[in-house]
Amino acid sequence: VQLQASGGGLVQAGGSLRLSCAGSGRFLSINRMGWYRQGPLNERELVATIEASGATNYANSVKGRFTISRDNARNTVYLQMNSLKPEDTAVYYCKAIVRRDASAALHQYWGQGTLVTVSS
């Protein structure tokens, strides 16, 4: 199972970016998908998650500015980021919780990360 993230870049404060992360490989289903980020001096932290049902969860720091969504047919998760702030600068990673086969086991996979830089 592979996750390919894209969409990062350089943007001015107040601007917007949209991240995408597509899952590929052999698996039965993808349960939770999410975005995490790691700034230059910080540990990796949760940004937002979305269940297969569509239920979402956000970090307080991004509520009202970021929107997570997914396309189950394309095994893709998106992160629409609006009103970006310099403190949003980080490498953004996608994560997926995957059921590979008919067993009850779930497996966690990470994408390679995409850099978001917000200038003031």
Side-chain angles (χ1 to χ4, degrees):
V1 178
Q2 293 183 332
L3 298 175
Q4 182 67 45
S6 60
L10 173 64
V11 64
Q12 289 187 332
S16 299
L17 282 175
R18 188 190 194 213
L19 306 183
S20 300
C21 177
S24 62
R26 301 186 71 174
F27 52 86
L28 198 61
S29 63
I30 300 179
N31 290 18
R32 179 179 301 167
M33 303 186 82
W35 289 96
Y36 294 73
R37 67 186 181 186
Q38 186 166 12
L41 301 175
N42 303 326
E43 296 183 350
R44 194 172 296 188
E45 63 178 5
L46 167 75
V47 177
T49 62
I50 184 168
E51 307 296 332
S53 65
T56 57
N57 179 54
Y58 293 92
N60 288 333
S61 59
V62 306
K63 282 181 180 177
R65 300 188 297 122
F66 291 10
T67 302
I68 189 170
S69 61
R70 63 188 284 173
D71 183 336
N72 290 331
R74 298 177 184 271
N75 299 314
T76 299
V77 63
Y78 305 96
L79 186 69
Q80 178 65 44
M81 304 185 293
N82 298 328
S83 302
L84 282 160
K85 304 175 181 179
E87 51 263 44
D88 295 318
T89 294
V91 177
Y92 284 70
Y93 298 90
C94 59
K95 186 175 86 169
I97 307 299
V98 174
R99 186 181 302 278
R100 293 204 301 237
D101 51 39
S103 74
L106 297 175
H107 303 270
Q108 175 178 285
Y109 295 91
W110 289 92
Q112 85 283 10
T114 184
L115 177 63
V116 172
T117 303
V118 184
S119 62
S120 57

Short mmCIF file of all heavy atoms in Angstrom, two decimals, residues 34-96:
data_model
loop_
_atom_site.label_atom_id
_atom_site.label_comp_id
_atom_site.label_asym_id
_atom_site.label_seq_id
_atom_site.Cartn_x
_atom_site.Cartn_y
_atom_site.Cartn_z
N GLY A 34 -6.14 10.66 7.29
CA GLY A 34 -5.89 11.88 8.03
C GLY A 34 -4.66 12.61 7.54
O GLY A 34 -3.87 12.10 6.74
N TRP A 35 -4.54 13.83 8.04
CA TRP A 35 -3.38 14.67 7.78
C TRP A 35 -2.72 15.04 9.11
O TRP A 35 -3.41 15.36 10.10
CB TRP A 35 -3.80 15.95 7.05
CG TRP A 35 -4.21 15.72 5.65
CD1 TRP A 35 -5.49 15.55 5.18
CD2 TRP A 35 -3.36 15.59 4.51
NE1 TRP A 35 -5.48 15.34 3.82
CE2 TRP A 35 -4.18 15.37 3.39
CE3 TRP A 35 -1.97 15.68 4.32
CZ2 TRP A 35 -3.65 15.21 2.10
CZ3 TRP A 35 -1.46 15.51 3.05
CH2 TRP A 35 -2.30 15.29 1.96
N TYR A 36 -1.41 14.99 9.12
CA TYR A 36 -0.60 15.37 10.25
C TYR A 36 0.46 16.34 9.74
O TYR A 36 0.72 16.41 8.53
CB TYR A 36 0.06 14.15 10.89
CG TYR A 36 -0.94 13.20 11.51
CD1 TYR A 36 -1.76 12.40 10.72
CD2 TYR A 36 -1.08 13.11 12.90
CE1 TYR A 36 -2.70 11.55 11.28
CE2 TYR A 36 -2.01 12.25 13.47
CZ TYR A 36 -2.82 11.48 12.65
OH TYR A 36 -3.74 10.64 13.21
N ARG A 37 1.08 17.07 10.64
CA ARG A 37 2.13 17.99 10.20
C ARG A 37 3.24 18.06 11.24
O ARG A 37 3.02 17.81 12.41
CB ARG A 37 1.57 19.39 9.93
CG ARG A 37 1.06 20.12 11.18
CD ARG A 37 0.38 21.42 10.79
NE ARG A 37 -0.09 22.17 11.96
CZ ARG A 37 -0.81 23.28 11.88
NH1 ARG A 37 -1.16 23.79 10.69
NH2 ARG A 37 -1.20 23.88 12.98
N GLN A 38 4.42 18.42 10.73
CA GLN A 38 5.58 18.56 11.61
C GLN A 38 6.33 19.81 11.19
O GLN A 38 6.87 19.87 10.08
CB GLN A 38 6.48 17.33 11.53
CG GLN A 38 7.62 17.35 12.52
CD GLN A 38 8.29 16.01 12.65
OE1 GLN A 38 8.05 15.09 11.87
NE2 GLN A 38 9.10 15.86 13.67
N GLY A 39 6.35 20.80 12.09
CA GLY A 39 7.07 22.03 11.86
C GLY A 39 8.55 21.86 12.18
O GLY A 39 8.97 20.80 12.66
N PRO A 40 9.35 22.90 11.92
CA PRO A 40 10.81 22.80 12.09
C PRO A 40 11.24 22.42 13.51
O PRO A 40 12.24 21.73 13.67
CB PRO A 40 11.29 24.20 11.74
CG PRO A 40 10.21 24.79 10.90
CD PRO A 40 8.93 24.21 11.41
N LEU A 41 10.52 22.86 14.51
CA LEU A 41 10.94 22.60 15.88
C LEU A 41 9.90 21.81 16.67
O LEU A 41 9.99 21.73 17.88
CB LEU A 41 11.20 23.95 16.59
CG LEU A 41 12.26 24.85 15.96
CD1 LEU A 41 12.33 26.17 16.69
CD2 LEU A 41 13.62 24.14 15.96
N ASN A 42 8.95 21.21 15.95
CA ASN A 42 7.84 20.56 16.64
C ASN A 42 7.78 19.08 16.36
O ASN A 42 8.36 18.58 15.40
CB ASN A 42 6.51 21.19 16.19
CG ASN A 42 6.47 22.68 16.43
OD1 ASN A 42 7.04 23.17 17.39
ND2 ASN A 42 5.80 23.40 15.55
N GLU A 43 7.07 18.40 17.23
CA GLU A 43 6.77 17.00 16.96
C GLU A 43 5.61 16.92 15.97
O GLU A 43 4.88 17.87 15.76
CB GLU A 43 6.39 16.29 18.27
CG GLU A 43 7.50 16.23 19.28
CD GLU A 43 7.10 15.47 20.52
OE1 GLU A 43 5.91 15.15 20.66
OE2 GLU A 43 7.97 15.19 21.35
N ARG A 44 5.45 15.76 15.35
CA ARG A 44 4.34 15.57 14.42
C ARG A 44 3.03 15.67 15.18
O ARG A 44 2.88 15.06 16.26
CB ARG A 44 4.45 14.23 13.72
CG ARG A 44 3.55 14.08 12.52
CD ARG A 44 3.84 12.80 11.74
NE ARG A 44 5.18 12.80 11.17
CZ ARG A 44 5.61 11.87 10.32
NH1 ARG A 44 4.81 10.88 9.95
NH2 ARG A 44 6.84 11.92 9.86
N GLU A 45 2.09 16.42 14.63
CA GLU A 45 0.82 16.63 15.31
C GLU A 45 -0.35 16.39 14.36
O GLU A 45 -0.22 16.54 13.13
CB GLU A 45 0.73 18.06 15.86
CG GLU A 45 0.76 19.14 14.79
CD GLU A 45 0.62 20.54 15.35
OE1 GLU A 45 0.59 20.71 16.59
OE2 GLU A 45 0.54 21.49 14.55
N LEU A 46 -1.48 16.04 14.95
CA LEU A 46 -2.70 15.83 14.19
C LEU A 46 -3.21 17.15 13.63
O LEU A 46 -3.22 18.16 14.32
CB LEU A 46 -3.76 15.22 15.10
CG LEU A 46 -5.19 15.21 14.57
CD1 LEU A 46 -5.33 14.12 13.51
CD2 LEU A 46 -6.19 14.97 15.70
N VAL A 47 -3.63 17.11 12.36
CA VAL A 47 -4.31 18.25 11.76
C VAL A 47 -5.80 17.94 11.63
O VAL A 47 -6.64 18.68 12.12
CB VAL A 47 -3.73 18.58 10.38
CG1 VAL A 47 -4.51 19.73 9.73
CG2 VAL A 47 -2.25 18.95 10.50
N ALA A 48 -6.12 16.84 10.97
CA ALA A 48 -7.52 16.46 10.77
C ALA A 48 -7.60 15.00 10.35
O ALA A 48 -6.67 14.48 9.73
CB ALA A 48 -8.18 17.34 9.70
N THR A 49 -8.70 14.36 10.71
CA THR A 49 -8.97 13.00 10.27
C THR A 49 -10.38 12.90 9.74
O THR A 49 -11.25 13.71 10.08
CB THR A 49 -8.79 11.98 11.40
OG1 THR A 49 -9.72 12.26 12.45
CG2 THR A 49 -7.37 11.98 11.94
N ILE A 50 -10.59 11.86 8.92
CA ILE A 50 -11.92 11.62 8.38
C ILE A 50 -12.13 10.12 8.28
O ILE A 50 -11.27 9.38 7.81
CB ILE A 50 -12.12 12.31 7.01
CG1 ILE A 50 -13.54 12.12 6.50
CG2 ILE A 50 -11.08 11.86 5.98
CD1 ILE A 50 -13.89 13.02 5.32
N GLU A 51 -13.27 9.67 8.77
CA GLU A 51 -13.62 8.25 8.72
C GLU A 51 -14.23 7.92 7.37
O GLU A 51 -14.61 8.80 6.61
CB GLU A 51 -14.62 7.93 9.83
CG GLU A 51 -14.18 8.35 11.22
CD GLU A 51 -12.94 7.61 11.71
OE1 GLU A 51 -12.73 6.47 11.26
OE2 GLU A 51 -12.19 8.19 12.52
N ALA A 52 -14.36 6.63 7.09
CA ALA A 52 -14.99 6.20 5.85
C ALA A 52 -16.44 6.70 5.77
O ALA A 52 -16.97 6.93 4.68
CB ALA A 52 -14.95 4.68 5.73
N SER A 53 -17.05 6.89 6.92
CA SER A 53 -18.43 7.39 6.98
C SER A 53 -18.53 8.87 6.65
O SER A 53 -19.61 9.38 6.39
CB SER A 53 -19.00 7.16 8.39
OG SER A 53 -18.27 7.93 9.34
N GLY A 54 -17.39 9.56 6.73
CA GLY A 54 -17.38 11.00 6.51
C GLY A 54 -17.24 11.81 7.79
O GLY A 54 -17.10 13.04 7.72
N ALA A 55 -17.29 11.16 8.94
CA ALA A 55 -17.12 11.88 10.20
C ALA A 55 -15.71 12.46 10.27
O ALA A 55 -14.74 11.81 9.90
CB ALA A 55 -17.36 10.93 11.36
N THR A 56 -15.62 13.68 10.75
CA THR A 56 -14.34 14.39 10.76
C THR A 56 -13.94 14.82 12.16
O THR A 56 -14.77 14.93 13.07
CB THR A 56 -14.41 15.64 9.87
OG1 THR A 56 -15.48 16.49 10.33
CG2 THR A 56 -14.66 15.27 8.42
N ASN A 57 -12.65 15.09 12.30
CA ASN A 57 -12.08 15.58 13.55
C ASN A 57 -10.96 16.54 13.19
O ASN A 57 -10.18 16.26 12.28
CB ASN A 57 -11.54 14.42 14.39
CG ASN A 57 -10.93 14.89 15.68
OD1 ASN A 57 -11.56 15.60 16.45
ND2 ASN A 57 -9.68 14.50 15.94
N TYR A 58 -10.90 17.69 13.90
CA TYR A 58 -9.91 18.70 13.59
C TYR A 58 -9.13 19.13 14.84
O TYR A 58 -9.68 19.17 15.94
CB TYR A 58 -10.58 19.96 13.02
CG TYR A 58 -11.22 19.77 11.67
CD1 TYR A 58 -12.56 19.41 11.56
CD2 TYR A 58 -10.49 19.97 10.50
CE1 TYR A 58 -13.16 19.25 10.32
CE2 TYR A 58 -11.08 19.81 9.25
CZ TYR A 58 -12.41 19.45 9.17
OH TYR A 58 -12.99 19.28 7.94
N ALA A 59 -7.90 19.50 14.64
CA ALA A 59 -7.15 20.17 15.69
C ALA A 59 -7.76 21.54 15.91
O ALA A 59 -8.23 22.19 14.96
CB ALA A 59 -5.68 20.30 15.30
N ASN A 60 -7.74 22.00 17.15
CA ASN A 60 -8.34 23.31 17.46
C ASN A 60 -7.69 24.43 16.64
O ASN A 60 -8.36 25.38 16.25
CB ASN A 60 -8.21 23.61 18.94
CG ASN A 60 -9.14 22.76 19.79
OD1 ASN A 60 -10.19 22.31 19.32
ND2 ASN A 60 -8.76 22.52 21.03
N SER A 61 -6.41 24.29 16.36
CA SER A 61 -5.68 25.35 15.68
C SER A 61 -6.11 25.55 14.23
O SER A 61 -5.80 26.59 13.63
CB SER A 61 -4.18 25.06 15.73
OG SER A 61 -3.90 23.82 15.12
N VAL A 62 -6.81 24.58 13.65
CA VAL A 62 -7.19 24.69 12.23
C VAL A 62 -8.70 24.73 12.03
O VAL A 62 -9.17 24.91 10.90
CB VAL A 62 -6.59 23.55 11.39
CG1 VAL A 62 -5.08 23.49 11.59
CG2 VAL A 62 -7.23 22.20 11.71
N LYS A 63 -9.46 24.56 13.09
CA LYS A 63 -10.92 24.57 12.96
C LYS A 63 -11.39 25.88 12.35
O LYS A 63 -10.94 26.96 12.73
CB LYS A 63 -11.57 24.37 14.34
CG LYS A 63 -11.58 22.94 14.82
CD LYS A 63 -12.27 22.82 16.17
CE LYS A 63 -12.27 21.37 16.66
NZ LYS A 63 -12.87 21.24 18.00
N GLY A 64 -12.30 25.75 11.39
CA GLY A 64 -12.84 26.93 10.72
C GLY A 64 -11.99 27.42 9.56
O GLY A 64 -12.44 28.27 8.78
N ARG A 65 -10.77 26.90 9.42
CA ARG A 65 -9.89 27.31 8.32
C ARG A 65 -9.60 26.16 7.36
O ARG A 65 -9.48 26.38 6.15
CB ARG A 65 -8.57 27.85 8.87
CG ARG A 65 -8.71 29.05 9.78
CD ARG A 65 -7.36 29.65 10.13
NE ARG A 65 -6.51 28.73 10.87
CZ ARG A 65 -5.30 28.33 10.46
NH1 ARG A 65 -4.80 28.78 9.32
NH2 ARG A 65 -4.59 27.49 11.19
N PHE A 66 -9.47 24.96 7.89
CA PHE A 66 -9.13 23.79 7.08
C PHE A 66 -10.36 22.89 6.96
O PHE A 66 -11.16 22.78 7.90
CB PHE A 66 -8.01 22.99 7.73
CG PHE A 66 -6.67 23.65 7.73
CD1 PHE A 66 -6.50 24.97 7.37
CD2 PHE A 66 -5.55 22.93 8.11
CE1 PHE A 66 -5.25 25.57 7.37
CE2 PHE A 66 -4.28 23.50 8.12
CZ PHE A 66 -4.14 24.83 7.77
N THR A 67 -10.47 22.22 5.83
CA THR A 67 -11.54 21.25 5.60
C THR A 67 -10.95 19.97 5.03
O THR A 67 -10.29 20.02 3.99
CB THR A 67 -12.60 21.79 4.65
OG1 THR A 67 -13.14 23.02 5.17
CG2 THR A 67 -13.73 20.79 4.48
N ILE A 68 -11.22 18.86 5.70
CA ILE A 68 -10.78 17.56 5.19
C ILE A 68 -11.96 16.89 4.50
O ILE A 68 -13.11 17.00 4.94
CB ILE A 68 -10.22 16.68 6.33
CG1 ILE A 68 -9.56 15.42 5.76
CG2 ILE A 68 -11.30 16.32 7.35
CD1 ILE A 68 -8.77 14.61 6.79
N SER A 69 -11.66 16.21 3.40
CA SER A 69 -12.69 15.47 2.67
C SER A 69 -12.03 14.26 2.02
O SER A 69 -10.80 14.16 1.99
CB SER A 69 -13.36 16.35 1.61
OG SER A 69 -12.41 16.80 0.66
N ARG A 70 -12.85 13.35 1.51
CA ARG A 70 -12.28 12.18 0.86
C ARG A 70 -13.20 11.72 -0.26
O ARG A 70 -14.41 11.95 -0.24
CB ARG A 70 -12.04 11.04 1.87
CG ARG A 70 -13.27 10.51 2.53
CD ARG A 70 -12.92 9.53 3.65
NE ARG A 70 -12.51 8.23 3.17
CZ ARG A 70 -12.03 7.25 3.94
NH1 ARG A 70 -11.89 7.46 5.24
NH2 ARG A 70 -11.68 6.08 3.43
N ASP A 71 -12.57 11.06 -1.21
CA ASP A 71 -13.28 10.42 -2.32
C ASP A 71 -12.99 8.93 -2.19
O ASP A 71 -11.90 8.48 -2.55
CB ASP A 71 -12.77 10.98 -3.66
CG ASP A 71 -13.51 10.42 -4.85
OD1 ASP A 71 -14.07 9.31 -4.76
OD2 ASP A 71 -13.49 11.08 -5.91
N ASN A 72 -13.95 8.20 -1.67
CA ASN A 72 -13.72 6.78 -1.42
C ASN A 72 -13.50 5.99 -2.72
O ASN A 72 -12.76 5.01 -2.72
CB ASN A 72 -14.90 6.20 -0.64
CG ASN A 72 -14.94 6.71 0.79
OD1 ASN A 72 -13.91 7.05 1.37
ND2 ASN A 72 -16.13 6.80 1.35
N ALA A 73 -14.13 6.40 -3.79
CA ALA A 73 -13.96 5.69 -5.06
C ALA A 73 -12.53 5.83 -5.58
O ALA A 73 -12.02 4.95 -6.28
CB ALA A 73 -14.95 6.22 -6.08
N ARG A 74 -11.89 6.95 -5.25
CA ARG A 74 -10.52 7.20 -5.69
C ARG A 74 -9.48 6.95 -4.60
O ARG A 74 -8.29 7.17 -4.82
CB ARG A 74 -10.40 8.65 -6.18
CG ARG A 74 -11.28 8.99 -7.37
CD ARG A 74 -11.16 10.45 -7.75
NE ARG A 74 -12.05 10.83 -8.83
CZ ARG A 74 -11.74 10.74 -10.11
NH1 ARG A 74 -10.54 10.32 -10.47
NH2 ARG A 74 -12.61 11.10 -11.04
N ASN A 75 -9.96 6.51 -3.41
CA ASN A 75 -9.04 6.27 -2.29
C ASN A 75 -8.17 7.49 -2.01
O ASN A 75 -6.96 7.37 -1.78
CB ASN A 75 -8.15 5.04 -2.56
CG ASN A 75 -8.96 3.77 -2.73
OD1 ASN A 75 -9.87 3.49 -1.96
ND2 ASN A 75 -8.65 3.02 -3.78
N THR A 76 -8.78 8.64 -2.06
CA THR A 76 -8.04 9.90 -1.95
C THR A 76 -8.63 10.76 -0.84
O THR A 76 -9.85 10.85 -0.69
CB THR A 76 -8.09 10.65 -3.29
OG1 THR A 76 -7.49 9.85 -4.30
CG2 THR A 76 -7.34 11.97 -3.20
N VAL A 77 -7.73 11.39 -0.10
CA VAL A 77 -8.13 12.34 0.93
C VAL A 77 -7.57 13.71 0.55
O VAL A 77 -6.49 13.81 -0.03
CB VAL A 77 -7.63 11.90 2.32
CG1 VAL A 77 -6.11 11.85 2.39
CG2 VAL A 77 -8.19 12.80 3.42
N TYR A 78 -8.35 14.74 0.87
CA TYR A 78 -7.97 16.11 0.54
C TYR A 78 -7.93 16.95 1.81
O TYR A 78 -8.62 16.66 2.79
CB TYR A 78 -8.99 16.73 -0.42
CG TYR A 78 -9.21 15.94 -1.68
CD1 TYR A 78 -10.27 15.04 -1.79
CD2 TYR A 78 -8.35 16.07 -2.77
CE1 TYR A 78 -10.48 14.31 -2.95
CE2 TYR A 78 -8.56 15.34 -3.93
CZ TYR A 78 -9.62 14.46 -4.01
OH TYR A 78 -9.81 13.72 -5.16
N LEU A 79 -7.14 18.02 1.76
CA LEU A 79 -7.13 18.99 2.83
C LEU A 79 -7.15 20.38 2.19
O LEU A 79 -6.16 20.80 1.61
CB LEU A 79 -5.90 18.84 3.73
CG LEU A 79 -5.90 19.74 4.96
CD1 LEU A 79 -7.00 19.30 5.94
CD2 LEU A 79 -4.54 19.71 5.66
N GLN A 80 -8.29 21.04 2.29
CA GLN A 80 -8.40 22.41 1.82
C GLN A 80 -7.99 23.34 2.95
O GLN A 80 -8.61 23.31 4.02
CB GLN A 80 -9.84 22.71 1.38
CG GLN A 80 -10.06 24.14 0.91
CD GLN A 80 -9.31 24.47 -0.36
OE1 GLN A 80 -9.29 23.68 -1.29
NE2 GLN A 80 -8.69 25.65 -0.39
N MET A 81 -6.97 24.12 2.70
CA MET A 81 -6.42 25.01 3.74
C MET A 81 -6.64 26.46 3.33
O MET A 81 -6.09 26.90 2.31
CB MET A 81 -4.93 24.73 3.94
CG MET A 81 -4.64 23.27 4.27
SD MET A 81 -2.89 22.98 4.63
CE MET A 81 -2.15 23.30 3.03
N ASN A 82 -7.45 27.16 4.09
CA ASN A 82 -7.73 28.57 3.82
C ASN A 82 -7.20 29.43 4.96
O ASN A 82 -6.90 28.92 6.05
CB ASN A 82 -9.24 28.78 3.67
CG ASN A 82 -9.83 28.02 2.52
OD1 ASN A 82 -9.18 27.79 1.49
ND2 ASN A 82 -11.09 27.61 2.66
N SER A 83 -7.09 30.72 4.70
CA SER A 83 -6.63 31.67 5.73
C SER A 83 -5.34 31.18 6.38
O SER A 83 -5.21 31.18 7.61
CB SER A 83 -7.73 31.87 6.79
OG SER A 83 -8.91 32.35 6.20
N LEU A 84 -4.41 30.78 5.56
CA LEU A 84 -3.16 30.21 6.08
C LEU A 84 -2.36 31.24 6.86
O LEU A 84 -2.36 32.43 6.53
CB LEU A 84 -2.34 29.63 4.93
CG LEU A 84 -2.83 28.27 4.43
CD1 LEU A 84 -2.31 27.98 3.04
CD2 LEU A 84 -2.39 27.17 5.40
N LYS A 85 -1.68 30.73 7.89
CA LYS A 85 -0.86 31.56 8.77
C LYS A 85 0.59 31.07 8.72
O LYS A 85 0.83 29.89 8.42
CB LYS A 85 -1.37 31.47 10.20
CG LYS A 85 -2.83 31.83 10.38
CD LYS A 85 -3.28 31.58 11.81
CE LYS A 85 -4.75 31.92 12.01
NZ LYS A 85 -5.19 31.66 13.41
N PRO A 86 1.54 31.93 9.03
CA PRO A 86 2.95 31.46 9.06
C PRO A 86 3.15 30.25 9.97
O PRO A 86 3.98 29.38 9.65
CB PRO A 86 3.70 32.69 9.57
CG PRO A 86 2.88 33.84 9.09
CD PRO A 86 1.45 33.38 9.22
N GLU A 87 2.40 30.17 11.05
CA GLU A 87 2.56 29.03 11.96
C GLU A 87 2.03 27.72 11.37
O GLU A 87 2.20 26.65 11.98
CB GLU A 87 1.90 29.31 13.31
CG GLU A 87 0.47 29.80 13.23
CD GLU A 87 0.37 31.31 13.30
OE1 GLU A 87 1.17 32.01 12.64
OE2 GLU A 87 -0.54 31.80 14.00
N ASP A 88 1.37 27.78 10.22
CA ASP A 88 0.95 26.56 9.53
C ASP A 88 2.10 25.95 8.72
O ASP A 88 1.95 24.84 8.16
CB ASP A 88 -0.22 26.84 8.58
CG ASP A 88 -1.49 27.25 9.32
OD1 ASP A 88 -1.78 26.64 10.36
OD2 ASP A 88 -2.16 28.18 8.85
N THR A 89 3.22 26.65 8.64
CA THR A 89 4.37 26.14 7.90
C THR A 89 4.84 24.82 8.51
O THR A 89 5.11 24.73 9.70
CB THR A 89 5.51 27.16 7.92
OG1 THR A 89 5.10 28.32 7.20
CG2 THR A 89 6.76 26.58 7.30
N ALA A 90 4.91 23.79 7.68
CA ALA A 90 5.28 22.46 8.16
C ALA A 90 5.34 21.50 6.96
O ALA A 90 4.88 21.84 5.86
CB ALA A 90 4.25 21.95 9.17
N VAL A 91 5.88 20.33 7.22
CA VAL A 91 5.72 19.22 6.29
C VAL A 91 4.42 18.51 6.67
O VAL A 91 4.24 18.14 7.84
CB VAL A 91 6.90 18.25 6.34
CG1 VAL A 91 6.65 17.07 5.40
CG2 VAL A 91 8.20 18.96 5.97
N TYR A 92 3.56 18.34 5.71
CA TYR A 92 2.26 17.71 5.94
C TYR A 92 2.31 16.27 5.45
O TYR A 92 2.72 16.00 4.31
CB TYR A 92 1.16 18.49 5.24
CG TYR A 92 0.79 19.77 5.95
CD1 TYR A 92 1.67 20.84 5.98
CD2 TYR A 92 -0.43 19.89 6.62
CE1 TYR A 92 1.35 22.01 6.66
CE2 TYR A 92 -0.76 21.05 7.30
CZ TYR A 92 0.14 22.11 7.31
OH TYR A 92 -0.19 23.26 7.99
N TYR A 93 1.89 15.37 6.32
CA TYR A 93 1.89 13.94 6.02
C TYR A 93 0.46 13.41 6.03
O TYR A 93 -0.33 13.76 6.92
CB TYR A 93 2.68 13.16 7.06
CG TYR A 93 4.13 13.54 7.14
CD1 TYR A 93 4.57 14.54 7.99
CD2 TYR A 93 5.09 12.86 6.38
CE1 TYR A 93 5.90 14.89 8.09
CE2 TYR A 93 6.43 13.20 6.46
CZ TYR A 93 6.83 14.21 7.31
OH TYR A 93 8.14 14.55 7.39
N CYS A 94 0.14 12.54 5.09
CA CYS A 94 -1.14 11.85 5.15
C CYS A 94 -0.94 10.47 5.75
O CYS A 94 0.14 9.89 5.66
CB CYS A 94 -1.80 11.76 3.78
SG CYS A 94 -0.85 10.91 2.52
N LYS A 95 -1.99 9.99 6.36
CA LYS A 95 -1.96 8.66 6.98
C LYS A 95 -3.26 7.95 6.66
O LYS A 95 -4.32 8.59 6.58
CB LYS A 95 -1.79 8.77 8.49
CG LYS A 95 -1.62 7.43 9.18
CD LYS A 95 -1.33 7.59 10.67
CE LYS A 95 -2.58 7.72 11.47
NZ LYS A 95 -2.31 7.62 12.93
N ALA A 96 -3.16 6.65 6.49
CA ALA A 96 -4.36 5.85 6.24
C ALA A 96 -4.33 4.60 7.10
O ALA A 96 -3.27 3.98 7.26
CB ALA A 96 -4.46 5.47 4.76
#
